[in-house]
Each structure stands twice: as C-alpha cells, then as structure tokens.
Amino acid sequence: MRLHGPTGGELHVLLALSQGLSGMESAGMLCISEPTVRTHLQHIYSKADTTRQADLLSLLHGLTPPVRGDAH
C-alpha cells in the first residue's frame, strides 16, 4: 500500500488525524468544515487504495523515519 500524491490539504488532514484528533477536531484545528475533512479522507483512501483510517495511519507511520538521538 502506498499513498500517491496527496495534496497539501489531504496531508494536513492526515497529519491531524495521526495526532489522534477526530474529524471534527481536525476541521476546527485546520479551519475547514467537517464535510471538507470527509472529502479529503475519501481522496486519501482512494490514493492509498484502502478504506480504513487505521491503514492510512499505519502507512503514514511507515513513511516517517524514526527519530534517533545524537550519539555525541
């Protein structure tokens, strides 16, 4: 599963959801409507070839490089 070409708005919604925010909370934080959040999610689902939010978040976490401390 890969996420192909998310728009800026789609990426913002995905990142908000990855922080544990609900759709309504994401909408408020991003100053957009809930229907806009749902539309972005539908587009993301299509691009990621999935229908589950958990799969999207797993994909996002798989793309994010781990943070490591400096050994110095």
Side-chain angles (χ1 to χ4, degrees):
M1 179 173 65
R2 292 188 55 189
L3 183 58
H4 298 282
T7 66
E10 293 166 356
L11 190 55
H12 287 132
V13 167
L14 184 57
L15 292 173
L17 294 172
S18 75
Q19 295 175 29
L21 299 177
S22 69
M24 184 166 54
E25 292 168 329
S26 298
M29 184 184 86
L30 298 170
C31 299
I32 58 177
S33 69
E34 282 186 78
T36 300
V37 169
R38 286 192 297 271
T39 298
H40 284 316
L41 274 174
Q42 289 172 349
H43 293 163
I44 295 168
Y45 288 144
S46 177
K47 291 177 181 185
D49 193 29
T50 188
T51 57
R52 296 184 53 223
Q53 187 172 329
D55 291 339
L56 287 174
L57 296 178
S58 291
L59 174 63
L60 177 65
H61 293 296
L63 295 175
T64 305
V67 176
R68 63 169 229 226
D70 193 1
H72 301 321

